[in-house]
Amino acid sequence: MTGDRSPHSGDDDETAVGANQGWAAVSYLIGGIAVWGFIGWLVDRWLHTGGIATAIGAVLGAAGGVYLIVRRTAPDSEGRR
Amino acid sequence: MIPQALALPQQFLAGGLGMLADEGDSHFPPSVNDFYFPSLFDPRYYPWLTKFTLLVWLAVALILVFFLVGYRNPKMVPGRWQWMTESLYGFARNNIATEMIGARGVNFAPYFTTLLSFLLLTNLFGILFPIQISPNSHIAFPAVLAVISYVMFNYVGIRQHGFVKYMKLALIPPAPWFILPILIPIELASTLIIRPFTLALRLFANMFAGHIILLVFTLGGFALLGAQTVAIRPLSIVSWVMAIALTFLETLVAVLQAYVFVVLTASYVGGALAEEH
């Protein structure tokens, strides 16, 4: 019976946290690329730089996303998740 | 209705406008229009009263009955029905709410239980025999559920910390100041835009794709059966076997997506309540 189990017991907890962290990681990575790619695209439109700013933005955003994933999902860092 | 000049595309129209055709009409390949149902009654007065509307009402009624009967006469040693309701609630409370939020998660357990049972049931409608479509394969239903989750975690976070501190916690990650300008827009987009969208889209896309896949293999079987070349016709068996196998896969997907939706909602609420990220 599920109700009898203590809140912190074994594998089920791991899957819940794991799924959540997985989605958080994907969301940060895509978010980073999308946001900074979009800003780069706007800069491209503004300065007519033909895609270079978009590329720089996407790479920068990916780096930022990876940084956030490490910061917020790694155990025993300042991040709780 | 259709003028003579349009006689040639008429066949395509009949295939494309699935909403005008009868439900039993097998047109191949299936299209997006298979998800737009006609009104069950007079479309002039009840355009919103479709199969989906009815299914959502049915789901709400079934869940009400399920929990009311389960708790009509609660006993210390639960009977089978009471045990089922308690297991569902216990799962949502212990393995989702408490796990993702902590002790305060118990406050949210009733909503998570409701959400979980509603999603489980409506997702499983997608494979249950006479129904065989999930309301969640229409973006409107996951979108509303995602909006509820979105409003809930932001409201709870603002109530807990106050608006300014909540925004600070949500948007400013622990990082050196010179990286912050890169990170804050990502956090902003991730928390306020990507979260609700992915929540709704993930559920919708899974249910939509699942239904399309089942349609492809089931209707594809009929298409093969009616093939001009006789040698091709036995292949319809393969198509239907695939349809059955994929039905099992869709069962798994239905349960998993219901679970993921609730876990992510709980995780967002937990993140909003947390003192530091």
Side-chain angles (χ1 to χ4, degrees), chain A residues 2-3 5 12, chain B residues 86-97 116 259:
Chain A
T2 328
R5 255 186 249 158
D12 296 43
Chain B
E86 282 182 355
S87 299
L88 196 61
Y89 176 73
F91 178 74
R93 192 190 62 181
N94 298 338
N95 293 52
I96 298 178
L116 183 67
Y259 175 69

Side-chain angles (χ1 to χ4, degrees), chain B residues 28-29 32 38 63 70 84-85 93 96 100 103 126 142 157 160 163 221 243 262 268:
Chain B
F28 190 84
V32 177
I63 291 165
M84 284 195 294
T85 57
R93 192 190 62 181
I96 298 178
M100 303 305 302
Q160 168 85 2
F163 184 77
V262 182
Y268 296 157

